[in-house]
Amino acid sequence: VQLQASGGGLVQAGDSLRLSCAISGGTFSRDYIAWLRQAPGREREFVGRINWKSGTTSYVDAVQGRFFISRDVAKNTMYLQMNSLKPEDTAVYYCAAHHGGSFWYLTSYDVWGQGTQVTVSS
């Protein structure tokens, strides 16, 4: 399985942006796939995840109510809809396949997309 994130860009505070994570290399058989981000000078952090089969989602408090994860099983693609963007959302966003363990730990993910830059200006 390979992941490829796309859709990043430069936006203004308050704008919206939608990221995509295309899954290739076969049918995605994991339970969960997630979005993580890494801001300049900071550790990579968990943003949210989706159960691939049921579509149920979970988010960190910082993005709850502003970010929404969805997936299109037929297209083998996950999305991250980001609304009301803030300058503190500026980061490289990664999609990653979860293989077990806490969603907060980077070692719980074994397949990563290459990342897409999101920059939010004030």
Side-chain angles (χ1 to χ4, degrees):
V1 172
Q2 297 173 336
L3 308 179
Q4 182 168 355
S6 62
L10 172 63
V11 297
Q12 294 187 332
D15 285 352
S16 297
L17 200 60
R18 189 177 81 157
L19 306 183
S20 299
C21 176
I23 304 166
S24 61
T27 301
F28 189 71
S29 59
R30 302 293 181 84
D31 288 338
Y32 294 100
I33 186 170
W35 287 99
L36 299 93
R37 67 184 180 185
Q38 187 165 17
R42 300 189 64 177
E43 299 288 323
R44 196 171 299 186
E45 63 178 6
F46 170 73
V47 174
R49 55 84 170 160
I50 187 167
N51 183 293
W52 189 254
K53 295 179 181 177
S54 69
T56 57
T57 56
S58 179
Y59 308 91
V60 295
D61 288 346
V63 307
Q64 183 74 44
R66 299 189 299 121
F67 288 15
F68 301 93
I69 299 173
S70 62
R71 90 276 191 248
D72 186 326
V73 176
K75 294 184 178 179
N76 246 18
T77 302
M78 174 179 66
Y79 304 98
L80 178 63
Q81 177 67 43
M82 303 185 293
N83 301 326
S84 302
L85 281 161
K86 304 176 181 180
E88 51 263 44
D89 295 319
T90 295
V92 177
Y93 284 73
Y94 299 87
C95 53
H98 180 259
H99 73 93
S102 171
F103 292 101
W104 295 93
Y105 298 148
L106 301 184
T107 52
S108 298
Y109 306 91
D110 61 346
V111 182
W112 292 82
Q114 83 286 5
T116 185
Q117 175 71 48
V118 173
T119 303
V120 185
S121 63
S122 56

